[in-house]
């Protein structure tokens, strides 16, 4: 994942939708008892536990030490380890790599795909969901405009997200020896807690890179302006609906 220092309490208390939406992806994975499966970017372990409940032998990895500490606390009976998705190895060849809401945090997609390809058995599957082209477009626009209008210099690294098109991502999978059997780009308007706190918490949890280096006071000013802007388009009848666009993909190692 990106360089965020994850606030696991805020993640679990206010953003549980991240793994709740991921439950459908487990159906696409269709884990079988005894299969060796990796949960890549497991966060605090909720989906790892759901996969384990099917009888599969699952390991969860995440780049964030904070997330792995919490995952081990939540599910002490399961295997978790700190590892970087761009540079990991697994001894046991895998039947599947599963990944929910992680790929979009990593701006070196080929390094990730290469590691996945190397860990899968021939015939093994990669099943993932992540932000696709146009994901949270209005939030990105509001943040960049507000920061620029407030006099901040925006380098391209400030935006931590990689939101590819289906064409771009599936071409990378094919280039690295994975055959794409399913790919779907779809809108998934995502409700947040109501009131200003809903979007403020989302921005603090996920958009910290845009705000890093700002004093608490300046951060609050930027967040307030972004909320005012986005209320016009993303807030309706007391409910935030964030403009998520997802890609779901299944690819098989040849
Ligand atoms: C996503 O899951 O699509 C996402 C989450 C946080 C920031 C950006 C995108």
């Amino acid at each position: 994942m990106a360089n965020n220092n994850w606030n696991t309490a805020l993640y679990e208390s206010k953003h549980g939708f991240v793994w709740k939406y991921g439950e459908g992806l487990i159906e696409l994975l269709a884990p079988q008892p005894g299969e060796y499966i990796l949960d890549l970017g497991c966060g605090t372990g909720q989906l790892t536990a759901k996969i384990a409940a099917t009888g599969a032998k699952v390991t969860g990895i995440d780049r964030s030490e904070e997330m792995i500490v919490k995952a081990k606390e939540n599910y002490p009976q399961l295997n978790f380890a700190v590892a970087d998705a761009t540079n990991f190895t697994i001894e046991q060849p895998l039947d599947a790599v599963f990944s929910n809401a992680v790929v979009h945090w990593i701006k070196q997609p080929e390094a990730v795909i290469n590691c996945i390809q190397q860990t899968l058995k021939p015939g093994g599957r990669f099943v993932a969901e992540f932000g696709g082209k146009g994901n949270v477009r209005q939030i990105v626009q509001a943040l960049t405009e507000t920061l620029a209008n407030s006099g901040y210099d925006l380098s391209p690294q400030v935006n931590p997200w990689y939101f590819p098109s289906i064409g771009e991502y599936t071409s990378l999978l094919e280039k690295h020896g994975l055959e794409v059997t399913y790919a779907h780009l779809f809108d998934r308007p995502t409700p947040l807690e109501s009131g200003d706190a809903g979007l403020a918490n989302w921005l603090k949890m996920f958009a910290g890179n845009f705000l890093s280096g700002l004093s608490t006071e300046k951060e609050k000013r930027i967040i307030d302006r972004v909320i005012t802007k986005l209320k016009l388009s993303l807030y309706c009848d007391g409910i935030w609906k964030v403009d998520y666009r997802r890609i779901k993909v299944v690819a098989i190692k040849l």
Side-chain angles (χ1 to χ4, degrees):
M1 292 179 112
N3 292 323
N4 293 28
N5 285 322
W6 290 101
N7 176 341
T8 55
L10 182 60
Y11 179 70
E12 290 198 319
S13 63
K14 306 280 184 206
H15 303 98
F17 63 82
V18 173
W19 66 83
K20 289 188 183 124
Y21 280 114
E23 288 178 14
L25 192 64
I26 296 180
E27 283 170 34
L28 198 58
L29 173 70
Q32 301 300 310
E35 280 193 324
Y36 284 93
I37 297 181
L38 179 71
D39 182 3
L40 180 65
C42 61
T44 48
Q46 284 76 9
L47 294 177
T48 322
K50 296 241 174 228
I51 296 168
T54 67
K57 295 177 179 152
V58 62
T59 298
I61 63 171
D62 204 289
R63 185 176 146 178
S64 158
E65 217 167 311
E66 294 93 330
M67 289 289 192
I68 290 298
V69 166
K70 188 68 186 150
K72 286 182 174 170
E73 196 182 303
N74 287 343
Y75 307 102
Q77 74 283 15
L78 300 183
N79 291 324
F80 293 102
V82 176
D84 184 336
T86 63
N87 183 20
F88 68 91
T89 51
I90 304 279
E91 269 174 39
Q92 169 69 43
L94 297 171
D95 295 290
V97 175
F98 171 90
S99 182
N100 178 55
V102 171
V103 165
H104 53 247
W105 287 105
I106 306 164
K107 285 185 164 175
Q108 303 93 29
E110 293 199 60
V112 180
I113 292 169
N114 193 38
C115 285
I116 291 168
Q117 198 272 350
Q118 306 230 345
T119 63
L120 284 173
K121 292 177 184 168
R125 58 208 190 277
F126 172 46
V127 179
E129 179 171 332
F130 49 90
K133 191 168 180 161
N135 194 32
V136 295
R137 192 195 302 271
Q138 294 192 48
I139 294 188
V140 173
Q141 242 166 28
L143 271 168
T144 46
E145 274 170 27
T146 306
L147 286 164
N149 292 340
S150 307
Y152 295 101
D153 194 14
L154 276 174
S155 68
Q157 295 92 280
V158 167
N159 182 336
W161 302 317
Y162 166 68
F163 298 139
S165 68
I166 282 200
E168 176 182 339
Y169 199 72
T170 55
S171 300
L172 293 181
L173 291 168
E174 287 175 357
K175 180 175 162 192
H176 288 271
L178 291 155
E179 183 173 65
V180 179
T181 56
Y182 177 86
H184 182 204
L185 172 71
F186 57 99
D187 290 327
R188 195 200 70 197
T190 299
L192 303 180
E193 190 192 357
S194 61
D196 287 3
L199 189 60
N201 281 331
W202 189 97
L203 292 166
K204 285 183 200 157
M205 181 80 231
F206 297 118
N209 225 50
F210 287 90
L211 306 166
S212 68
L214 301 186
S215 65
T216 313
E217 193 187 315
K218 284 182 180 155
E219 178 184 291
K220 181 172 179 338
R221 214 173 305 142
I222 297 290
I223 288 179
D224 286 347
R225 286 181 192 161
V226 169
I227 289 172
T228 305
K229 247 184 213 185
L230 291 176
K231 259 201 172 153
L232 300 172
S233 52
L234 297 183
Y235 198 66
C236 189
D237 298 331
I239 298 177
W240 287 105
K241 284 237 173 111
V242 177
D243 53 339
Y244 276 48
R245 292 191 96 199
R246 323 298 295 167
I247 288 179
K248 263 191 186 147
V249 70
V250 178
I252 310 294
K253 176 168 169 167
L254 295 171

